[in-house]
Amino acid sequence: MRADPIPQNAETFEPIEPMNYNTLLWQVDQGILTLTLNRPDKLNAFTVEMADELEDAFLRASRDDAVRAVVVTGSGKAFCAGMDLSVPGNVFGLDESLQPTMEDMQRRLDDPAIHRGVRDTGGRVTLSIFACTKPVIGAINGAAVGIGATMTLAMDFRLASEKARIGFVFGRLGITPEACSTWFLPRIVGLQTALEWTYSAEILDPQTAKGGGLVKSIHSPEELLPAAHALAHKFVDGKSPVGIALTRQMMYRNSAQPHPLEAHRTDSLAMFYTSIQDGKEGVQAFLEKRAPEFRSSTQNMPPFYPW
């Protein structure tokens, strides 16, 4: 664990008290939240309860100024072995009495019946990660299959242990990819590789995942979390919280726009508001040859956000 102090401003905020999670561990140290999937006796298999808790955790991380970045890993020998297929009834938590239509998904997405009975739980999680205002790093310490693989796609970086095994195994179960992975995966590895990995439903070793662009780096099991924490500190130490939050959202949203003019609209507003907030301190610190003391908060984003 890195011992360097985080920027002075991050120490002035009181952390938000997390709820008592049943499936997660929440630990903040020097500005880095380590969020651990914690069902080790079940290989951290995914449940509806875990989905709800992950949604809540990423919302809380966005609102908590004591959290500068998030590292997600698994307890025990697995990252996440996919959906817990041992639960009774529809294992995905879906209401089989319904006959949902695309119109329902357009008009009634937040209707309780659709939210709980139709919406893909993995997608609710990845959308909460997508909306997060903090950098998110996946530290894949072992098996990551099904939702265990797709939930990492909304994270900014994926680091893998030498023992990691990653699989988009939906074809083996007769179902389709989920968790918005048909949006994320082609953007990360390209369409041809995304199709190959989902069609074949093969288990990927970390070298194959890295060669395809899914994984940034491979580490020994004991070095995985320290490497993830070091990368997180690299991104946030001495950086503006609002500047990083806007950069994350701008990269994801603008890269999917059909024309750069749309990026220009957002870039202009982001530059305007950051230049009159932390930008003033950044320029003054540069001129005075000292470390900046940024004091912005992601609880006070510019008025155009979210756009």
Side-chain angles (χ1 to χ4, degrees):
M1 190 73 68
R2 179 172 167 148
D4 298 345
I6 56 176
Q8 179 180 350
N9 63 295
E11 298 177 336
T12 66
F13 296 113
E14 290 296 326
I16 295 173
E17 188 68 28
M19 66 179 285
N20 293 320
Y21 295 126
N22 293 320
T23 70
L24 307 174
L25 298 177
W26 170 294
Q27 182 180 14
V28 180
D29 184 42
Q30 298 183 34
I32 309 304
L33 164 63
T34 302
L35 196 61
T36 305
L37 310 181
N38 190 40
R39 300 184 73 219
D41 56 324
K42 300 290 186 180
L43 299 179
N44 303 319
F46 190 82
T47 63
V48 174
E49 181 181 34
M50 183 181 285
D52 291 340
E53 292 186 351
L54 282 167
E55 274 194 279
D56 181 85
F58 279 100
L59 176 63
R60 285 169 177 264
S62 288
R63 292 175 174 174
D64 190 344
D65 286 310
V67 174
R68 296 295 316 278
V70 184
V71 171
V72 184
T73 195
S75 179
K77 63 182 181 180
F79 179 78
C80 174
M83 198 76 192
D84 188 340
L85 303 180
S86 67
V87 299
N90 186 298
V91 297
F92 304 103
L94 306 178
D95 185 348
E96 296 183 10
S97 71
L98 300 175
Q99 292 185 307
T101 65
M102 187 57 72
E103 184 178 1
D104 289 328
M105 303 307 289
Q106 295 286 353
R107 297 178 179 274
R108 300 174 54 208
L109 195 62
D110 294 321
D111 182 302
I114 300 297
H115 182 85
R116 302 302 303 185
V118 178
R119 289 185 62 179
D120 159 44
T121 52
R124 290 197 282 114
V125 169
T126 54
L127 287 171
S128 70
I129 299 173
F130 178 83
C132 188
T133 57
K134 314 296 170 70
V136 183
I137 299 168
I140 306 173
N141 57 299
V145 298
I147 179 58
T150 54
M151 78 164 72
T152 71
L153 301 179
M155 301 174 191
D156 303 327
F157 299 91
R158 287 151 295 280
L159 279 58
S161 163
E162 294 165 345
K163 295 185 177 181
R165 295 296 182 268
I166 302 169
F168 303 94
V169 297
F170 309 100
R172 299 186 183 189
L173 300 176
I175 58 175
T176 60
E178 38 59 275
C180 308
S181 58
T182 53
W183 192 91
F184 286 106
L185 187 59
R187 284 171 165 79
I188 297 170
V189 303
L191 183 58
Q192 181 171 264
T193 299
L195 287 169
E196 179 182 358
W197 287 355
T198 52
Y199 283 167
S200 69
E202 293 176 340
I203 302 297
L204 310 173
D205 60 36
Q207 291 76 21
T208 302
K210 185 175 185 297
L214 180 65
V215 166
K216 173 179 171 58
S217 55
I218 302 169
H219 305 269
S220 65
E222 59 272 16
E223 289 298 323
L224 177 64
L225 268 181
H229 290 149
L231 187 64
H233 279 291
K234 178 181 177 181
F235 296 152
V236 301
D237 288 1
K239 311 300 193 307
S240 162
V242 168
I244 291 293
L246 288 174
T247 297
R248 184 177 197 269
Q249 292 299 313
M250 289 161 65
M251 285 289 183
Y252 281 113
R253 295 168 187 267
N254 289 345
S255 63
Q257 293 286 2
H259 195 283
L261 177 60
E262 299 308 315
H264 174 64
R265 301 183 204 279
T266 307
D267 293 351
S268 298
L269 289 174
M271 273 294 296
F272 179 88
Y273 284 104
T274 55
S275 74
I276 62 176
Q277 296 172 355
D278 275 348
K280 288 188 178 296
E281 165 63 11
V283 170
Q284 193 64 31
F286 176 81
L287 294 174
E288 296 176 0
K289 296 181 172 58
R290 59 172 174 81
E293 296 183 4
F294 297 122
R295 300 190 178 278
S296 66
S297 166
T298 54
Q299 298 181 58
N300 186 28
M301 297 289 281
F304 73 91
Y305 179 90
W307 62 93

